[in-house]
Amino acid sequence: MIVLFLVLCMVDALLSQLAYKVQEERDHGTFVGNIAEDLGLDITKLSSRRFQSAPNSRSPYLELNLENGVLYVREKIDRELICKQSPSCLLHLEVFLENPLEFFRVEIEVLDINDNAPTFPESEMQVEISESATLGTRFPLESASDLDVGNNSLRSYEMTTNSFFTLDVQTQGDGNKFAELVLKKPLDREQQALHRYVLTASDGGIPQRTGTALLTIKVLDSNDNVPVFEQPVYTVSMPENSPPGTLVIQLNATDQDEGQNGEVVYSFSSHNSPRVREIFSIDPRSGRMEVAGELDYEESNMYQVYVQAKDLGPNAVPAHCKVMVKVLDLNDNAPDISFSTVKESVSEGAPPGTVVALFSVTDKDSEENGQIHCEILGEVPFRLKLSYKNYYTIVTDGVLDRELVPSYTVTVLARDRGSPPLSSTKSIQVQVADVNDNAPRFSQAVYNVYVTENNVPGAYISAVSATDKDDEENSQVSYHILECDIQGMSVFTYVSINSENGYLYALRTFDYEQLKDFSFMVEARDGGSPPLASNATVNIVIVDQNDNAPSIIAPHGRNGTAKELLPRTAEPGYLFLRVVAVDLDEGENARLTYSILRGNDMSLFRMDWRTGELRTARKITSKRDPHRPFELVVEVRDHGQPPLSSTGLIQVEIVDGTVEKLNENRRSSRSNDTALDLTLILIIALGSVSFIFLLAMIVLAIRCQKEKKLNIYSCLASDCCVCCCSCCSRQARARKKKLSKSDIMLVQSSNVPSATQVPVEESGSFGSHHHNQNYCYQVCLTPESAKTDLMFLKPCSPSRSTDTEHNPCGAIVTGYADQQPDIISNGSILSSEFCIPGSRHSKL
């Protein structure tokens, strides 16, 4: 039957203790107690709180159900095997829970049952007694032993009733009992030489168990003097771990007889335990008692050794004494550290006092040798907290910063107070778990990015970079451009950013002459919860490129030709014309040089290369036919790399007359030209309005007719290339709307339903540009779009038109997966092809 005894107390708000009792030899599955129920724990939360037993306290005899907290017998418990004859036999079990950490100590007392009968070392004992022995003489008998303890242990001895001897039961200091045979009637060997009796040993168990032995007493002839010890009891102190051969005591017993009757020999009494005979030895002749085995204070701190001295005469009667050997404890056991639980990691945001680990320290030594002092070695933000007796917790003692120290090696030192002191150490690894406490940091607060104008839309221009000291998701940085306006338009129409790597891309072609620089903010945001972010400023500086050829604005001409009059009487150095040109570029790209390219074969004229002034170099001969004007091709060249130039044709007519008259005629001619120009403009305007109205009516009729079929059309790359070829062949047939680079930008494409061809040509003035080249552009117009302004131009060479499968018409492929660049024209999405005749020296 199981006896349950519960004691529940709370120590330091962390530890409690339970006590159970269970009898030995119980079958597997025998209920011992319900720990969870007795402690008042919520059984449904045992699993979530990781209810478990400490590894160092687990026993093969007991098993704990971690689901419901029931403690039961795992295998039969043999108390005598576990605890020998110790009066108290305890099994210890340590259990703990987490979140919050609670520790409980459980004691299970194994109760003895009377399962062992007393036994004698021999089934037959023989005692020799001289017939001259006096009444009252005592003769010790070999003791019986009983493995049980308490009431179940040996309690009494009995022998067969007779008239010669009585049995006197004595109790030793350790509680063990032994029997002495007392002579109560004189012996007469001649009458009876042998006496046989049954010796019975009984325990106190229920039911009572007994053991017997046959006692044979042999009556000897007398030896009338017995040896005598100096004192009946000797007390000796011996340090533990004394080596074999160490003197314990020198015994001396004297016998007044002579010869062999007075020669004494020493030996251990028969009722000494086998363990005593293993630890000690005695020299039979000298009486020198020595250490023969291992003295261990932790095994026993006191030994009682019974020694007898007997002479060599006939019918010798032994004398007895007792040697009390006290074992002195030495500091021979270092403290033992045992960790019960260790957290895998602790958050860097954990407050001071957070429990990291629980451990216990033990020392088998006693008194000061067993008193233990614990500490943590090194400068670490942890400290020890005494929880219960020899149990300690390691708790945080400061602020943790994973970015400075990601993990700590915590070493616990346990040192006893012995002399010299012994110590032991044990280390654990504590990982610091990351908390999102660091915002991303850019490599620089301001990024200055220089982009050459006329860049390709979608081209990579620079990159920003930010790092985060946190770990895993908390350190994953994403990049975003903050909303702002640039010249009235969103920044997202100018640049884009790869959110993963911070790469910046231009979404449009930049024109230095219209936008020299702009700024925006980039935000770096981590993946923590909540996320942290920081900003950096990006300054985009547009670098001028020599993309504008000089434009001649004076003298005014018609169809690229200017006419000037020169009097035949003009003297050398006569200034009759000044060529004026402008260049939209800046710096060296706009510094101009004037020269006469052709038509000055006779070197009649000279031009100032800096001012463009055209003067006569020498006097004109009278033989010059006035009907044959001089045709001077004037070139204006900038200083860019490579340089761009423009030319103009100047017809110089030789006329007779004075300078004043020539000027008057010139003013009159200019007035007539102006009137003619105004008339021509009015005619062209009226004709254009009529043509546009007629064209709009035709387009409207066609759209209404084909409205149901619009969903089958798409802007295909191959069709676009066909459009490119056809439009390039008709590039000179008409003049359309001029475009500006600032109107062009790259956006994410969406499928648009229709395509068109738009030929565009640079309108001219006086002067022309060399190295003409055709440009092919892709544009798609939605059916709803009524505008033809184009905002994305792409060169197309005839040789590249054949490779339409991979990159039709030289289309720019950017980093957008499964998407193609589109064109936005004043808010309309365009995507097809058109061609514009122009010059690579001219600005669109």
Short mmCIF file of all heavy atoms in Angstrom, two decimals, residues 515-543:
data_model
loop_
_atom_site.label_atom_id
_atom_site.label_comp_id
_atom_site.label_asym_id
_atom_site.label_seq_id
_atom_site.Cartn_x
_atom_site.Cartn_y
_atom_site.Cartn_z
N LEU A 515 16.68 71.00 -68.01
CA LEU A 515 16.76 70.63 -66.60
C LEU A 515 18.21 70.32 -66.26
O LEU A 515 18.78 69.37 -66.76
CB LEU A 515 15.89 69.39 -66.32
CG LEU A 515 15.85 68.87 -64.88
CD1 LEU A 515 15.24 69.91 -63.96
CD2 LEU A 515 15.09 67.56 -64.80
N LYS A 516 18.76 71.17 -65.42
CA LYS A 516 20.19 71.03 -65.11
C LYS A 516 20.43 70.14 -63.91
O LYS A 516 21.45 69.48 -63.81
CB LYS A 516 20.82 72.41 -64.90
CG LYS A 516 20.89 73.24 -66.18
CD LYS A 516 21.54 74.58 -65.91
CE LYS A 516 21.77 75.33 -67.23
NZ LYS A 516 20.55 75.48 -68.02
N ASP A 517 19.52 70.11 -62.97
CA ASP A 517 19.68 69.24 -61.80
C ASP A 517 18.36 69.13 -61.06
O ASP A 517 17.48 69.99 -61.22
CB ASP A 517 20.78 69.76 -60.86
CG ASP A 517 20.48 71.15 -60.33
OD1 ASP A 517 19.58 71.27 -59.49
OD2 ASP A 517 21.15 72.12 -60.78
N PHE A 518 18.23 68.09 -60.25
CA PHE A 518 17.07 67.92 -59.38
C PHE A 518 17.46 66.99 -58.25
O PHE A 518 18.49 66.28 -58.31
CB PHE A 518 15.86 67.39 -60.14
CG PHE A 518 16.04 66.04 -60.76
CD1 PHE A 518 15.70 64.88 -60.07
CD2 PHE A 518 16.56 65.91 -62.04
CE1 PHE A 518 15.86 63.63 -60.65
CE2 PHE A 518 16.73 64.67 -62.62
CZ PHE A 518 16.39 63.52 -61.92
N SER A 519 16.66 67.00 -57.19
CA SER A 519 16.95 66.20 -55.99
C SER A 519 15.70 65.46 -55.55
O SER A 519 14.57 65.90 -55.81
CB SER A 519 17.45 67.10 -54.85
OG SER A 519 18.63 67.76 -55.21
N PHE A 520 15.94 64.35 -54.87
CA PHE A 520 14.84 63.59 -54.28
C PHE A 520 15.39 62.80 -53.10
O PHE A 520 16.61 62.69 -52.91
CB PHE A 520 14.18 62.66 -55.30
CG PHE A 520 15.11 61.69 -55.96
CD1 PHE A 520 15.33 60.43 -55.41
CD2 PHE A 520 15.78 62.04 -57.12
CE1 PHE A 520 16.18 59.53 -56.02
CE2 PHE A 520 16.64 61.14 -57.74
CZ PHE A 520 16.84 59.90 -57.18
N MET A 521 14.48 62.24 -52.32
CA MET A 521 14.86 61.48 -51.13
C MET A 521 14.62 59.99 -51.36
O MET A 521 13.62 59.59 -51.94
CB MET A 521 14.04 61.93 -49.91
CG MET A 521 14.20 63.40 -49.56
SD MET A 521 15.75 63.74 -48.75
CE MET A 521 15.47 63.00 -47.16
N VAL A 522 15.57 59.19 -50.89
CA VAL A 522 15.45 57.74 -50.94
C VAL A 522 15.35 57.23 -49.50
O VAL A 522 16.14 57.62 -48.64
CB VAL A 522 16.65 57.08 -51.65
CG1 VAL A 522 16.56 55.56 -51.55
CG2 VAL A 522 16.69 57.50 -53.11
N GLU A 523 14.37 56.37 -49.27
CA GLU A 523 14.18 55.79 -47.94
C GLU A 523 14.64 54.34 -47.94
O GLU A 523 14.33 53.58 -48.84
CB GLU A 523 12.70 55.85 -47.56
CG GLU A 523 12.41 55.23 -46.18
CD GLU A 523 10.92 55.11 -45.90
OE1 GLU A 523 10.26 54.27 -46.55
OE2 GLU A 523 10.43 55.87 -45.06
N ALA A 524 15.42 53.99 -46.91
CA ALA A 524 15.82 52.60 -46.69
C ALA A 524 15.04 52.08 -45.49
O ALA A 524 15.12 52.65 -44.39
CB ALA A 524 17.32 52.51 -46.43
N ARG A 525 14.28 51.00 -45.69
CA ARG A 525 13.41 50.46 -44.66
C ARG A 525 13.76 48.99 -44.42
O ARG A 525 13.94 48.23 -45.38
CB ARG A 525 11.96 50.58 -45.09
CG ARG A 525 10.95 50.16 -44.02
CD ARG A 525 9.52 50.16 -44.53
NE ARG A 525 9.17 51.44 -45.13
CZ ARG A 525 8.68 51.56 -46.36
NH1 ARG A 525 8.48 50.49 -47.11
NH2 ARG A 525 8.38 52.74 -46.84
N ASP A 526 13.91 48.61 -43.14
CA ASP A 526 14.23 47.21 -42.84
C ASP A 526 12.97 46.38 -42.74
O ASP A 526 11.85 46.89 -42.85
CB ASP A 526 15.08 47.09 -41.56
CG ASP A 526 14.37 47.63 -40.32
OD1 ASP A 526 13.12 47.57 -40.28
OD2 ASP A 526 15.05 48.09 -39.40
N GLY A 527 13.15 45.06 -42.55
CA GLY A 527 12.02 44.13 -42.52
C GLY A 527 11.55 43.80 -41.12
O GLY A 527 10.85 42.80 -40.94
N GLY A 528 11.96 44.59 -40.13
CA GLY A 528 11.56 44.31 -38.76
C GLY A 528 10.11 44.65 -38.51
O GLY A 528 9.38 45.16 -39.37
N SER A 529 9.66 44.38 -37.27
CA SER A 529 8.30 44.68 -36.88
C SER A 529 8.34 45.35 -35.50
O SER A 529 8.63 44.68 -34.50
CB SER A 529 7.45 43.42 -36.84
OG SER A 529 6.12 43.72 -36.45
N PRO A 530 8.05 46.65 -35.43
CA PRO A 530 7.76 47.55 -36.55
C PRO A 530 9.03 47.88 -37.33
O PRO A 530 10.13 47.86 -36.76
CB PRO A 530 7.19 48.78 -35.87
CG PRO A 530 7.85 48.78 -34.52
CD PRO A 530 7.99 47.34 -34.14
N PRO A 531 8.88 48.23 -38.61
CA PRO A 531 10.08 48.53 -39.40
C PRO A 531 10.69 49.88 -39.02
O PRO A 531 9.99 50.79 -38.59
CB PRO A 531 9.55 48.54 -40.85
CG PRO A 531 8.10 48.88 -40.72
CD PRO A 531 7.65 48.28 -39.41
N LEU A 532 12.00 49.98 -39.20
CA LEU A 532 12.72 51.23 -38.99
C LEU A 532 13.25 51.70 -40.34
O LEU A 532 13.53 50.90 -41.23
CB LEU A 532 13.86 51.05 -37.99
CG LEU A 532 13.47 50.57 -36.59
CD1 LEU A 532 14.70 50.40 -35.72
CD2 LEU A 532 12.50 51.54 -35.93
N ALA A 533 13.39 53.02 -40.48
CA ALA A 533 13.80 53.56 -41.77
C ALA A 533 14.69 54.78 -41.57
O ALA A 533 14.71 55.41 -40.50
CB ALA A 533 12.57 53.94 -42.61
N SER A 534 15.44 55.10 -42.61
CA SER A 534 16.25 56.32 -42.66
C SER A 534 16.27 56.80 -44.11
O SER A 534 15.98 56.05 -45.04
CB SER A 534 17.67 56.06 -42.15
OG SER A 534 18.32 55.11 -42.97
N ASN A 535 16.62 58.09 -44.27
CA ASN A 535 16.57 58.71 -45.59
C ASN A 535 17.94 59.22 -46.01
O ASN A 535 18.80 59.51 -45.17
CB ASN A 535 15.58 59.88 -45.60
CG ASN A 535 14.17 59.44 -45.27
OD1 ASN A 535 13.80 58.29 -45.51
ND2 ASN A 535 13.37 60.34 -44.71
N ALA A 536 18.12 59.33 -47.30
CA ALA A 536 19.31 59.94 -47.89
C ALA A 536 18.86 60.80 -49.07
O ALA A 536 17.85 60.53 -49.72
CB ALA A 536 20.32 58.89 -48.34
N THR A 537 19.60 61.84 -49.33
CA THR A 537 19.29 62.76 -50.43
C THR A 537 20.12 62.37 -51.65
O THR A 537 21.33 62.12 -51.52
CB THR A 537 19.59 64.21 -50.02
OG1 THR A 537 18.79 64.53 -48.88
CG2 THR A 537 19.24 65.16 -51.15
N VAL A 538 19.46 62.32 -52.78
CA VAL A 538 20.15 62.04 -54.04
C VAL A 538 20.03 63.28 -54.92
O VAL A 538 18.92 63.74 -55.24
CB VAL A 538 19.54 60.82 -54.76
CG1 VAL A 538 20.26 60.57 -56.08
CG2 VAL A 538 19.61 59.60 -53.88
N ASN A 539 21.16 63.84 -55.29
CA ASN A 539 21.23 64.99 -56.18
C ASN A 539 21.64 64.51 -57.57
O ASN A 539 22.74 63.98 -57.74
CB ASN A 539 22.22 66.04 -55.67
CG ASN A 539 21.82 66.60 -54.32
OD1 ASN A 539 20.64 66.80 -54.05
ND2 ASN A 539 22.79 66.88 -53.46
N ILE A 540 20.74 64.68 -58.53
CA ILE A 540 21.03 64.31 -59.92
C ILE A 540 21.51 65.57 -60.64
O ILE A 540 20.77 66.57 -60.73
CB ILE A 540 19.80 63.72 -60.62
CG1 ILE A 540 19.26 62.52 -59.83
CG2 ILE A 540 20.13 63.34 -62.05
CD1 ILE A 540 20.20 61.35 -59.80
N VAL A 541 22.71 65.52 -61.12
CA VAL A 541 23.29 66.65 -61.86
C VAL A 541 23.41 66.22 -63.32
O VAL A 541 24.08 65.23 -63.64
CB VAL A 541 24.68 67.04 -61.29
CG1 VAL A 541 25.26 68.20 -62.07
CG2 VAL A 541 24.55 67.39 -59.81
N ILE A 542 22.73 66.97 -64.20
CA ILE A 542 22.76 66.68 -65.64
C ILE A 542 24.03 67.29 -66.22
O ILE A 542 24.29 68.50 -66.05
CB ILE A 542 21.52 67.23 -66.35
CG1 ILE A 542 20.24 66.82 -65.59
CG2 ILE A 542 21.46 66.72 -67.79
CD1 ILE A 542 20.07 65.35 -65.44
N VAL A 543 24.81 66.48 -66.89
CA VAL A 543 26.06 66.94 -67.50
C VAL A 543 25.79 67.25 -68.97
O VAL A 543 25.21 66.43 -69.70
CB VAL A 543 27.16 65.87 -67.36
CG1 VAL A 543 28.45 66.34 -68.02
CG2 VAL A 543 27.39 65.55 -65.89
#
